[in-house]
Amino acid sequence: DTVNVSFVLLGNITGMGADSPNGISYNPVNGNYYIASSSSLFSFNVNTRAVTLIGPFNTGGIMIDLCFDMNGICYAYDIATDNAYTINISTGNANLLGPLGYDANFGQGMSYDFETNTIYLTAFNNGTFSGQCRIMDQVTGNTILISDWGLEQIDAFALKTLLSSPCPVGAPSNPNPPNGATYVPVY
């Protein structure tokens, strides 16, 4: 409840075995949710809170979060390999995009801005030991620093976006009657 800032526990996630969820994301193309553990991709039924293993990422690292773009492409990043990936949502296999360009650690999150087609990620930078927000290049995986907030930790986050096309109705022009007119007859 974003108005009253309250939370309701839906229940426990089941079916992950020894794995733990590191990230969750919604695919707007197929309407499904997905969960990343450090090593595998799962589909997630929010009604039953049950997961189904899709497959391993095969990175040898620690996959930390994932997000989907408006075309249903899944992106993820790994804090052991410090690389960005696209994920095959049918097999779980990770396809290397490239290095993040910094040593990411704890305090991680990832979200896609549907209005600007931008991937944002957060994580502590081991080099500066500070929390950072970065933009991730969807082709190379490289990141650009946009904010360093010191010792504050921001991990899971979601961007407020419309998930729809902008309003096709433009601003009025040459209004008739003119704006502010009074005593206009109604027919």
Side-chain angles (χ1 to χ4, degrees), residues 128-151:
T128 61
F129 199 71
S130 59
Q132 297 181 340
C133 183
R134 292 172 169 263
I135 293 174
M136 188 182 92
D137 185 291
Q138 298 168 33
V139 176
T140 67
N142 191 40
T143 62
I144 298 169
L145 176 67
I146 59 171
S147 181
D148 186 309
W149 50 75
L151 294 178

Side-chain angles (χ1 to χ4, degrees), residues 25 34 41 66-69 72-76 85-89:
S25 190
Y34 294 85
L41 181 68
L66 67 160
C67 69
F68 284 86
D69 70 9
I73 298 172
C74 182
Y75 296 89
Y85 300 87
T86 57
I87 307 299
N88 181 320
I89 61 171

